[in-house]
Amino acid sequence: QVQLVESGGGLVQPGGSLRLSCAASGSIFGYYMAWYRQAPGKQRELVAGISRGGITRYADSVKGRFTISRDNVKNTVNLQMNVLEPDDTAVYYCNRGGAIPSWGQGTQVTVSS
């Protein structure tokens, strides 16, 4: 089973930016890759996804602010987050789809002044 390791989280002020990275121990080629997040007391939700062909989808709440990208050679998936808002505060998880989905351990993003 592939291991996913997220990085890039931290504390940022409202309006700021962060770039999350997800490094996979195995191939991501052919898999749907996504970022999810879970805020305290809330269910995990899909933030952004990208197909093997590069087709992207975003939650309405992040459209125009977040951008997902993938590198099938380096086996990485990134999430560029701009104009961050306090409601973006959550633990962000990388996900590789497939018959047996794989999850990373998560990285904390806190948006606060």
Side-chain angles (χ1 to χ4, degrees):
Q1 188 173 3
V2 70
Q3 291 187 346
L4 305 174
V5 179
E6 301 98 335
S7 61
L11 173 64
V12 64
Q13 292 186 342
S17 298
L18 282 174
R19 184 176 178 84
L20 304 183
S21 294
C22 172
S25 63
S27 177
I28 65 170
F29 180 80
Y31 290 91
Y32 192 86
M33 300 298 298
W35 285 94
Y36 287 74
R37 67 186 181 188
Q38 187 166 18
K42 295 186 177 181
Q43 290 188 333
R44 190 172 296 188
E45 63 174 357
L46 176 68
V47 176
I50 184 167
S51 72
R52 61 183 181 179
I55 298 173
T56 58
R57 62 177 291 195
Y58 297 93
D60 288 344
S61 59
V62 307
K63 281 181 181 177
R65 300 188 296 121
F66 290 12
T67 302
I68 188 172
S69 60
R70 64 189 293 161
D71 187 324
N72 291 332
V73 175
K74 295 181 179 179
N75 293 318
T76 57
V77 180
N78 296 318
L79 185 68
Q80 178 66 43
M81 306 187 296
N82 298 326
V83 196
L84 283 160
E85 304 169 353
D87 284 349
D88 295 318
T89 295
V91 178
Y92 284 70
Y93 297 92
C94 181
N95 169 268
R96 191 185 80 167
I100 304 176
S102 298
W103 294 91
Q105 83 289 349
T107 184
Q108 176 70 45
V109 172
T110 303
V111 184
S112 175
S113 55

